[in-house]
Every structure is written in C-alpha cells, then in structure tokens.
C-alpha cells in the first residue's frame, strides 16, 4: 500500500504568476515509504479485543539509521464534524486494547522521517462493535474491589469473556458487590430500560452499550426523600411492567410509579400509615411476581422490627399489614428472623411462587411458600433436619418443581418439599467454596437451568451451568459441559442483560 505524504507549502497561484523563473532549481530525492500488509478494514469488539498490527515498511532510501523515524497511530471518528483525533500508540508495531466506544473510525499510521521532516500517512477503517448487547453480567470481587465480568456469545458463535469491565469506566474503586439488575429489552420505550450496579459504596446506572458509568449516575441523585443519607446504597431493584420500578436500600422501600414521566423516587413507604414518621426496618429484598408487561397484584416486604410480612402496590405511599386466620398454614406475623428471600417462576394457581427461609427464636429453620401477587399463603415446612442448613449461605429454587438447592461450604444439596414431608439429596462436593447459586428466570426461563459459582485463590471464580432433569420422581441435575467459565472474579451475583 502506497502512503500519502504531507509537505508544508507556502506557494500560491498568484505568486507564480509574477515570479521570474531563472531556471535554477535544487532537487532532492526524499525517502519514500510504503506498507504492504495493512488491511483496508478491521473489525474488533470494544473492551474484549486487542488490535495487533505489525506493519511491513519499505523504504526507497535509508531504513537502518536508528532513531530516524517517528511512529504514530491515530483514531478518528468517521463523521463530518466534531471528530476528535486520538493518538493510541507511538510504536511501529501496534498493540491496542480497544477502549474506544462503538462506532466506525479511521485508523491511521503516521511515519515521520526526522531527517527530512516529511510524515507519511496511511489509513484503514476500524469498526468497533460491542459484546455488551446480550449476555450474562457477572458481579463479584477481585483484589478487595468490586469487579464486573461479562459472558457473551459473538456473532461467530464463540463464547467470549470480558473481564474487569469497570476498570474502563470512570467510576472510582468500589467496595462490597451486592447485585446486578438489568431490565428487559429497550424496545420503543427508552424509559423502560436500565442497567444498575449495586454496591456498598452506592448504586450506579451503567451505559447499556459500553457498560461505562461515572459518579453522576449514582441513584442517590434521583431520590427525593429527606431521610436518606449521601451514602445511600440499594440492595434490591426490580421493575414491574413498563412504568413502575421498585427499590430497597438502607432498609427502606421506594417506588417510582411513573418512569415515563421521570426517573425519580419519592418518600420511602416502609411505614403503616400515610402521615406516620415511624418507619420499620425492611429486609433488603422484596417478594414479588415476575411480570414483564403488566402491573398485577401486591408486592411483599418483611418488617424486621415487628417480624411480619406487609404488602404494598405500585400506587402505595405506605404498607398494609396482612390478616391471619385460624387454620392458615402459617401466620404473616412469623416472629422469625429472615435468612433469605427468593422469587421463582414456578407457578401455582397460575401465579408465581416466592419463598422465604427463616429461623425461629428456638433455632428451628422453616421454609415458607406464598403467592405474593395475591398475598396468599401456601405452606410452611420444617427444614431444621437438613444437613448444614444453619450454615447455608446460598439458595435457589426450581422453576418447575417444589425443590430447593442450597450450599454449605463446598457442598451442594437438593431438597424436595411435599405435603408428605421434606426429602434430601446431596448433589455434589465442589472442593471449593460455593459463592453463588442463580436460577435462570430471564433468558431460558422455562428450561429449569441454574448456575453455581465457586472460588479459590489460585484459579479465581468459576461458573458452571446445570439443568434439573425433568423427572418428578428423582432430584437429578445435569451438568452442561460446554457451559463452564473460569478465571472470573469471586462471583456474588449474575443477571442476564438484554440489548
């Protein structure tokens, strides 16, 4: 490929018209440069690829004098105005970890001959696309800081892991990974879409294309409750329908019931009358029904002060207590300590089932099942005899059967809860700490897939995909061998991100 060159000139046509040509010229040959192996177009993925180019340069004169040539690689957007030229390397051989945003660019190599002052330029087209449209967001910790990885499948069918995504954002170092939340597809209603990172140091909205962010996206800025502090941090965030978003943070409950109007939250509603200033301490997560396109029924919150469930809707400005009746399978006022909450997509009576694992004052453990949308009690099971249940840290629930998986240390157990009783099966000992169990309620919701994350200091984090075998008579799981991802952060949460 022949390179174009730049030579400064000060001559004008008018000057040549009146200049007397005496025929005395001193010509000097310049050192022409050409490149043989530069492509016309390159395609790369933002943050996932490193562009490596080793140009083969040919010179008509000297090419051996050390320090004679200066090299520069540039990126400039392919747009008519306002494009910023960015220098990405000063080496002859390019090695560029692609951090520029999605778009089409001119990729230019400049070779300057310091002896003559002539700079030769050549151009290619660089197309940068993102792998962040669809995929699994993997939140965790690395070297004591919040880390975000992503698992995506490229258009070529290759599985690609993008690690340490937050290092390319403008966010400061964050501590305490809590949860990732991404809404469904953006579609034709942009206010429906959002991607949120929850940490101990705050909750931040990420750009859906680049997954970049900065402190100006802290969700604290859109909460207009005078009782919250500047270090507010969300622990749960979910969306029901196109217009309502719910959030729990600092043990307070907030509602945005008009996303189309404003991305804003008013006063918290974790109280029992509209004008009360007495707030109860809400458990960090909410029981709710998954419903993508409509708003139906109630949401349930656990009052940690009074040890009872309470309900609210998208229109609530306070919570309501729930009545208990003789003959009910359990009381809404449990008197127990909450251990975990889980919203499954298993259905009973056409409604999705939610679960709560609780510890009683006499150190017994119970599993509660309910239909939050109808505020209906289903059953309570005594699970105190399950091995390691007192030390269990991770829980998950089948989307088809009344089954729970839980982890104690490195061991994964399954139990089935039926009117006849609770049965147990040890599934696997991973040999490493289990740091997360996640049931897929978004991407392949009806196939009963779930994911188990493990961690050790040498190998880092690993995520393995499983599927419940569709057998009502046996608690079998199948390991999907091609769905195992390694060298991740210490995983604490994952969620599916739509485009």
């Amino acid at each position: 490929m022949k390179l174009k060159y730049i030579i400064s000139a000060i001559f004008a046509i008018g000057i040549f018209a009146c200049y007397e040509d005496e025929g005395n010229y001193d010509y000097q040959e310049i050192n022409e440069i050409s490149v043989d192996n530069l492509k016309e177009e390159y395609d790369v993925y933002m943050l996932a690829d490193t562009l490596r180019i080793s140009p083969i340069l040919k010179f008509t004169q000297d090419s051996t004098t050390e320090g004679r040539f200066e090299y520069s690689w540039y990126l400039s957007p392919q747009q008519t105005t306002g494009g910023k030229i960015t220098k990405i390397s000063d080496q002859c051989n390019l090695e560029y970890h692609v951090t520029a945003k999605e778009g089409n660019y001119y990729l230019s190599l400049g070779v300057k001959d310091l002896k003559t002052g002539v700079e030769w330029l050549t151009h290619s087209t660089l197309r940068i696309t993102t792998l962040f449209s669809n995929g699994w967001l993997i939140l965790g910790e690395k070297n004591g800081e919040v880390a975000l990885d992503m698992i995506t499948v490229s258009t070529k069918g290759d599985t690609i892991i993008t690690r340490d995504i937050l290092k390319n954002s403008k966010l400061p170092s964050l501590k305490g990974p809590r949860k990732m939340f991404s809404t469904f597809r953006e579609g034709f209603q942009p206010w429906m879409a959002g991607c949120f990172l929850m940490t101990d140091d705050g909750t931040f909205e990420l750009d859906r294309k680049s997954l970049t962010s900065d402190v100006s996206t802290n969700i604290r800025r859109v909460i207009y409750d005078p009782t919250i502090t500047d270090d507010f941090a969300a622990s749960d965030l979910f969306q029901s329908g196109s217009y309502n978003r719910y959030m729990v943070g600092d043990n307070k409950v907030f509602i945005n019931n008009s996303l189309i109007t404003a991305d804003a939250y008013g006063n918290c509603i974790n109280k029992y009358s509209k004008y009360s200033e007495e707030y109860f301490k809400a458990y960090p997560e909410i029981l709710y029904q998954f419903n993508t396109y409509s708003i139906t029924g109630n949401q349930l919150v656990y009052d940690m002060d009074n040890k009872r469930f309470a309900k609210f809707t998208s229109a609530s400005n306070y919570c309501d207590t729930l009545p208990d009746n003789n003959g009910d399978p359990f009381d809404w006022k449990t008197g127990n300590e909450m251990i975990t909450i889980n919203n499954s997509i298993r259905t009973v009576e056409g409604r999705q089932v939610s679960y709560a694992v609780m510890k009683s004052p006499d150190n017994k453990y119970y599993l509660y099942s309910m239909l939050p949308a109808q505020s209906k009690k289903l059953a309570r099971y005594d699970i105190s005899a399950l091995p390691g249940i007192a030390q269990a840290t991770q829980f998950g629930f089948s989307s088809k059967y009344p089954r729970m998986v839980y982890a104690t240390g490195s061991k994964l157990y399954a139990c089935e809860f039926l009117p006849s009783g609770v049965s147990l099966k040890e599934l696997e000992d991973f040999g490493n700490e289990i740091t997360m169990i996640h049931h897929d309620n978004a991407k392949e919701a009806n196939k009963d897939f779930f994911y188990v994350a493990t961690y050790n200091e040498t190998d880092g984090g690993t995520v393995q995909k499983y599927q419940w075998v569709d057998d009502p008579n046996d608690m079998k799981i199948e390991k999907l061998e091609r769905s195992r991802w390694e060298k991740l952060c210490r995983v604490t949460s994952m969620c599916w991100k739509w485009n």
Side-chain angles (χ1 to χ4, degrees):
M1 179 183 292
K2 196 75 173 179
L3 283 78
K4 298 178 182 179
Y5 59 90
I6 300 172
I7 304 179
S8 299
I10 60 172
F11 301 106
I13 294 175
I15 296 178
F16 282 106
C18 61
Y19 181 75
E20 182 178 354
D21 186 356
E22 297 182 354
N24 183 18
Y25 301 101
D26 183 14
Y27 293 103
Q28 180 180 354
E29 290 187 5
I30 60 175
N31 191 9
E32 295 187 27
I33 306 170
S34 61
V35 179
D36 278 353
N37 66 329
L38 205 61
K39 298 179 182 179
E40 291 186 0
E41 297 178 347
Y42 292 89
D43 292 281
V44 292
Y45 289 112
M46 179 181 65
L47 298 182
D49 284 339
T50 298
L51 180 61
R52 294 180 175 89
I53 302 175
S54 299
I56 299 175
L57 303 178
K58 293 186 177 180
F59 304 84
T60 58
Q61 296 181 6
D62 175 35
S63 63
T64 59
T65 302
E66 186 176 353
R68 177 171 175 174
F69 300 99
E70 184 177 81
Y71 305 96
S72 300
W73 289 88
Y74 303 97
L75 272 188
S76 56
Q78 289 187 358
Q79 56 193 47
T80 55
T81 59
K84 182 182 178 181
I85 299 175
T86 303
K87 185 175 181 179
I88 59 173
S89 177
D90 59 4
Q91 302 296 312
C92 179
N93 294 331
L94 176 65
E95 186 166 332
Y96 170 58
H97 181 62
V98 183
T99 57
K101 291 186 177 181
E102 183 179 22
N104 294 333
Y105 294 82
Y106 294 112
L107 174 66
S108 304
L109 168 61
V111 183
K112 187 175 183 180
D113 188 337
L114 298 179
K115 182 177 180 180
T116 63
V118 177
E119 183 174 15
W120 300 76
L121 291 174
T122 188
H123 308 286
S124 296
T125 293
L126 179 65
R127 282 193 293 264
I128 300 177
T129 53
T130 178
L131 284 168
F132 301 149
S133 295
N134 298 307
W136 286 107
L137 291 171
I138 308 294
L139 178 66
E141 194 172 33
K142 187 175 182 179
N143 299 324
E145 298 180 0
V146 173
L148 183 64
D149 301 332
M150 189 167 183
I151 300 167
T152 44
V153 178
S154 72
T155 55
K156 301 175 183 177
D158 299 322
T159 299
I160 299 175
I161 302 176
T162 309
R163 297 176 174 85
D164 296 327
I165 293 170
L166 296 180
K167 289 187 178 297
N168 296 288
S169 76
K170 297 180 181 178
L171 289 171
S173 171
L174 301 170
K175 303 291 185 181
R178 293 186 175 184
K179 198 172 188 179
M180 281 301 305
F181 168 68
S182 181
T183 61
F184 34 84
R185 291 181 173 90
E186 186 169 354
F188 60 90
Q189 297 172 325
W191 63 84
M192 293 168 50
C195 184
F196 297 89
L197 166 68
M198 287 169 263
T199 75
D200 290 350
D201 289 336
T203 299
F204 304 91
E205 185 169 6
L206 306 183
D207 181 269
R208 292 179 67 84
K209 288 187 176 181
S210 66
L211 295 182
T212 57
S213 186
D214 58 50
V215 294
S216 70
T217 69
N218 193 325
I219 207 166
R220 169 66 179 86
R221 81 193 193 287
V222 295
I223 305 174
Y224 298 99
D225 185 327
T227 67
I228 68 168
T229 59
D230 289 339
D231 59 355
F232 174 87
S235 53
D236 197 13
L237 191 62
F238 69 96
Q239 190 162 311
S240 179
S242 306
Y243 302 97
N244 302 320
R245 197 171 285 162
Y246 306 85
M247 177 172 60
V248 183
D250 295 352
N251 303 112
K252 299 178 180 182
V253 181
F254 300 89
I255 300 175
N256 180 336
N257 58 10
S258 185
L259 285 171
I260 189 173
T261 303
D263 182 16
Y265 299 83
N267 293 336
C268 62
I269 65 164
N270 47 301
K271 55 184 180 178
Y272 291 114
S273 65
K274 182 175 181 179
Y275 299 107
S276 173
E277 294 185 0
E278 184 177 345
Y279 299 93
F280 63 80
K281 188 176 181 181
Y283 185 74
E285 294 181 294
I286 291 175
L287 295 118
Y288 61 90
Q289 174 172 313
F290 290 93
N291 198 308
T292 306
Y293 296 109
S294 64
I295 295 89
T296 57
N298 302 315
Q299 328 294 341
L300 302 184
V301 60
Y302 194 69
D303 174 352
M304 298 171 67
D305 293 326
N306 299 291
K307 292 183 170 54
R308 66 175 306 140
F309 289 97
K311 69 176 182 178
F312 65 92
T313 69
S314 61
S316 297
N317 47 35
Y318 60 91
C319 295
D320 289 311
T321 57
L322 294 161
D324 290 316
N325 302 302
N326 292 332
D328 286 353
F330 60 85
D331 289 339
W332 290 119
K333 188 175 176 65
T334 67
N336 295 334
E337 174 190 351
M338 181 66 73
I339 302 299
T340 191
I341 277 174
N342 190 283
N343 297 294
S344 79
I345 59 169
R346 174 177 168 248
T347 58
V348 171
E349 300 174 8
R351 298 284 186 168
Q352 290 165 334
V353 183
S354 291
Y355 300 95
V357 176
M358 309 190 78
K359 178 183 176 182
S360 68
D362 57 353
N363 292 322
K364 289 189 175 182
Y365 289 82
Y366 295 96
L367 172 63
Y368 293 75
S369 63
M370 62 200 77
L371 305 179
Q374 297 173 298
S375 300
K376 182 174 181 178
K377 308 168 184 175
L378 291 180
R380 186 187 77 160
Y381 304 91
D382 187 342
I383 57 172
S384 304
L386 294 178
I389 192 65
Q391 293 78 40
T393 55
Q394 307 297 330
F395 300 84
F397 291 84
S398 167
S399 62
K400 292 184 179 180
Y401 298 104
R403 294 172 180 170
M404 175 180 77
V405 288
Y406 70 96
T408 301
S410 63
K411 293 183 178 181
L412 184 69
Y413 296 92
C415 73
E416 186 170 58
F417 37 93
L418 299 169
S420 57
V422 177
S423 56
L424 170 76
K425 184 175 185 178
E426 183 175 338
L427 297 176
E428 188 171 349
D429 188 340
F430 289 83
N432 294 313
E433 177 192 7
I434 298 173
T435 62
M436 182 208 69
I437 298 173
H438 176 82
H439 270 77
D440 183 1
N441 295 326
K443 182 177 183 288
E444 299 170 290
N446 298 318
K447 296 184 178 180
D448 224 358
F449 291 125
F450 68 97
Y451 299 79
V452 178
T454 58
Y455 180 81
N456 67 60
E457 292 289 345
T458 302
D459 302 319
T462 298
V463 173
Q464 173 66 59
K465 183 178 181 179
Y466 293 87
Q467 184 175 27
W468 285 99
V469 175
D470 196 1
D471 183 351
N473 299 313
D474 193 1
M475 291 183 284
K476 294 180 181 178
I477 62 171
E478 178 184 357
K479 181 185 295 187
L480 282 75
E481 297 295 344
R482 297 185 63 184
S483 297
R484 177 184 174 87
W485 305 289
E486 301 175 336
K487 298 180 181 179
L488 302 169
C489 56
R490 186 183 187 278
V491 182
T492 58
S493 170
M494 64 185 288
C495 78
W496 178 256
K497 179 188 177 297
W498 296 110
N499 58 17

